Amino acid sequence: MTSSPTVPTFTLTRPQAAPLDPPPLYAQLRGEQPVTRVSLWEGRLTPWLVTRWEDARAVLGSPAFSTDQTHPGAPNFKEGTHQPGPRGFFQNYDDPIHAAMRRTLTREFMVKRVDALRPAIARLTDELLTDLTVLSGPADFVEHFALPLPSLVICELLGVPYEEHPFFQEQSKTLVDLNATGEESARAFANLGEYLLRLVQTKRATPGDDVVTRLAAQVDEGVITDQDAADLSAFLLFAGHETTANMIALSTITLLNHPDRIPHILGGPDQVASAVEELLRYLSIVHGGLRRTAIDDVTIGGVTIHAGEGVIIPVHVANRDPEFFTNPDDLDLERANVRRHLAFGYGIHQCLGQPLARAELQIVLPEVFRRLPSLKIAVPMEEIAFKQATAVYGVRELPVTW
Ligand code: HEM
């Protein structure tokens, strides 16, 4: 397929003047052509872009769409990346493999388990903030706080022994480092894979109260293989590290830009909980869109999408749909229907780690503003390096003073 002038190129670039808002073109499309073609790979692929909240939810909730990236029409960002990954990365698999793999982890994210992690999250938050305040400033909030916090939480979750945290964190850091070379990233990926495989075997011999121990037990029961257990652990790191880090950094920027809302964040658990939902909606960091391929013909928003055609669902655009959210571009920390945002997706692939992500944000954000009441961004907004070409939106660094 070739690109025509009426088919806009799919872009991740947000406007310089309003870096926390989606590209204006998408707001326009949502009003005028809510289900429309966009161009990828210089027009060689033209998947559909679905921008209204209601239509986005319809796609994500429908069994007529697949997340399998090996379909030739799958709207992967890079051409030639239609290979199957390990099944432990189950987001890219349909049921029944997806369901079988997801089931091995569902208990880990039940409220009771996540609540048990809250004291550890609070302790790690405290330690990192203490270390940060020892510095003379300005310091990079991403390097010293937003990135290490979720990576240390994943260490707790998986049961990475304390003395091995530095190795684990170093590899994770390289994996999410946009300046790392392809070779460095590949080495970190391989190192982490080998490490997690060894950890599965170690936990079998010396069990703990952690995810890897329970995955090793499922290997012994014949439910999964050692390799699956290691891949599932790696997938949790990938899915939960950068996403949460970016939410911490961008939420901090957003609140500093709306200083009158900071008292709300400090107002107790219910207020924090609703504020976190609004920040999730407002920022909708998975701005590369959730991506699907139709496996049956299906009509969405009055448009027929044929089997084999790709669909991109930019949740940052759907979550700003004025037909569903009143004054969607306002940050309203008491928005009544906020919990129906799509920042964690919807349907069978809805974020498994969302209770953990919520717990982290609910603990971290009030603590940051309690401990650092004079926190300020040390550079003008236009000098902040936003990640413009990554599927998950964030900042490369955030110089702050306190
Ligand atoms: C604020 C932070 C986070 C955001 C915004 C986020 C967002 C998302 C979204 C949008 C999806 C759905 C993708 C799709 O439908 O194609 C997803 C899936 C997933 N997320 Fe998260 N996530 C976050 C944190 C986490 C954490 C902390 C973990 C675990 C440690 C996690 C684990 C997963 C997993 C395993 C899936 C795949 C679910 C499936 O395919 O069944 N996420 N996430």
Side-chain angles (χ1 to χ4, degrees):
M1 279 180 222
T2 52
S3 176
S4 79
T6 54
V7 179
T9 299
F10 181 71
T11 177
L12 294 168
T13 308
R14 299 206 189 193
Q16 177 82 27
L20 301 178
D21 292 334
L25 171 67
Y26 293 157
Q28 192 189 331
L29 288 175
R30 190 184 50 217
E32 294 168 6
Q33 290 168 277
V35 181
T36 191
R37 297 264 190 195
V38 282
S39 151
L40 282 181
W41 318 342
E42 293 169 341
R44 288 187 291 284
L45 196 72
T46 52
W48 297 97
L49 188 78
V50 172
T51 42
R52 289 175 62 223
W53 180 89
E54 199 182 326
D55 296 338
R57 219 167 85 114
V59 172
L60 295 172
S62 164
F65 292 95
S66 162
T67 60
D68 182 344
Q69 297 187 344
T70 65
H71 293 296
N76 303 345
F77 285 135
K78 282 196 196 140
E79 196 169 2
T81 54
H82 291 85
Q83 298 91 2
R87 60 182 192 163
F89 285 59
F90 54 87
Q91 191 179 337
N92 299 331
Y93 280 81
D94 299 326
D95 288 350
I97 292 179
H98 162 263
M101 290 291 124
R102 183 170 167 127
R103 205 177 303 125
T104 63
L105 289 170
T106 39
R107 285 166 151 250
E108 302 299 340
F109 295 96
M110 284 160 73
V111 175
K112 231 172 107 185
R113 281 267 163 83
V114 171
D115 278 350
L117 279 169
R118 282 181 179 259
I121 300 170
R123 174 176 47 79
L124 294 167
T125 304
D126 177 55
E127 286 170 10
L128 287 172
L129 287 176
T130 302
D131 291 352
L132 176 71
T133 47
V134 167
L135 302 174
S136 54
D140 180 7
F141 187 75
V142 172
E143 182 187 347
H144 292 284
F145 186 72
L147 259 186
L149 192 269
S151 132
L152 287 166
V153 171
I154 305 256
C155 283
E156 289 283 335
L157 181 86
L158 296 179
V160 173
Y162 186 75
E163 60 281 8
E164 291 163 19
H165 283 189
F167 169 80
F168 188 87
Q169 272 195 289
E170 196 51 45
Q171 311 308 312
S172 319
K173 206 167 139 191
T174 309
L175 281 178
V176 298
D177 182 356
L178 299 174
N179 299 321
T181 63
E183 202 184 308
E184 283 163 346
S185 310
R187 199 175 326 118
F189 183 74
N191 285 347
L192 212 61
E194 280 165 30
Y195 172 78
L196 287 168
L197 202 52
R198 266 199 321 276
L199 189 63
V200 173
Q201 284 142 13
T202 315
K203 292 284 175 179
R204 184 176 290 119
T206 352
D209 181 11
D210 51 61
V211 170
V212 176
T213 297
R214 289 185 282 272
L215 285 173
Q218 295 190 61
V219 175
D220 295 342
E221 289 158 18
V223 180
I224 47 174
T225 63
D226 266 351
Q227 190 60 52
D228 291 333
D231 292 339
L232 285 160
S233 306
F235 181 38
L236 290 184
L237 172 71
F238 280 106
H241 185 193
E242 215 200 331
T243 41
T244 313
N246 288 338
M247 261 311 289
I248 293 173
L250 290 180
S251 302
T252 304
I253 296 176
T254 306
L255 290 166
L256 289 171
N257 283 347
H258 296 84
D260 56 319
R261 320 289 155 87
I262 293 173
H264 186 100
I265 278 279
L266 299 171
D270 291 346
Q271 291 199 27
V272 176
S274 64
V276 163
E277 294 313 308
E278 175 66 349
L279 286 162
L280 284 160
R281 180 199 71 85
Y282 184 81
L283 295 165
S284 292
I285 54 168
V286 185
H287 78 161
L290 310 188
R291 277 159 287 143
R292 302 290 189 264
T293 311
I295 47 176
D296 285 318
D297 291 359
V298 56
T299 301
I300 298 290
V303 174
T304 303
I305 296 177
H306 294 283
E309 292 179 339
V311 181
I312 301 176
I313 306 111
V315 281
H316 60 316
V317 186
N319 275 338
R320 298 279 189 108
D321 183 351
E323 278 185 37
F324 191 72
F325 295 110
T326 313
N327 298 327
D329 296 329
D330 289 353
L331 181 75
D332 173 0
L333 300 185
E334 292 173 284
R335 190 179 287 283
N337 62 349
V338 69
R339 282 196 157 256
R340 302 191 69 199
H341 67 71
L342 302 172
F344 286 126
Y346 178 73
I348 61 166
H349 291 280
Q350 195 176 34
C351 180
L352 176 65
Q354 58 184 289
L356 178 62
R358 287 196 166 102
E360 290 184 58
L361 294 168
Q362 289 167 4
I363 291 168
V364 158
L365 294 177
E367 203 49 26
V368 164
F369 290 100
R370 222 184 330 265
R371 291 280 298 274
L372 311 172
S374 314
L375 184 68
K376 284 195 182 45
I377 304 173
V379 295
M381 249 325 246
E382 51 283 8
E383 282 177 29
I384 298 178
F386 286 91
K387 297 177 184 174
Q388 291 291 9
T390 51
V392 180
Y393 195 51
V395 281
R396 289 168 186 265
E397 53 182 25
L398 182 61
V400 291
T401 56
W402 51 90

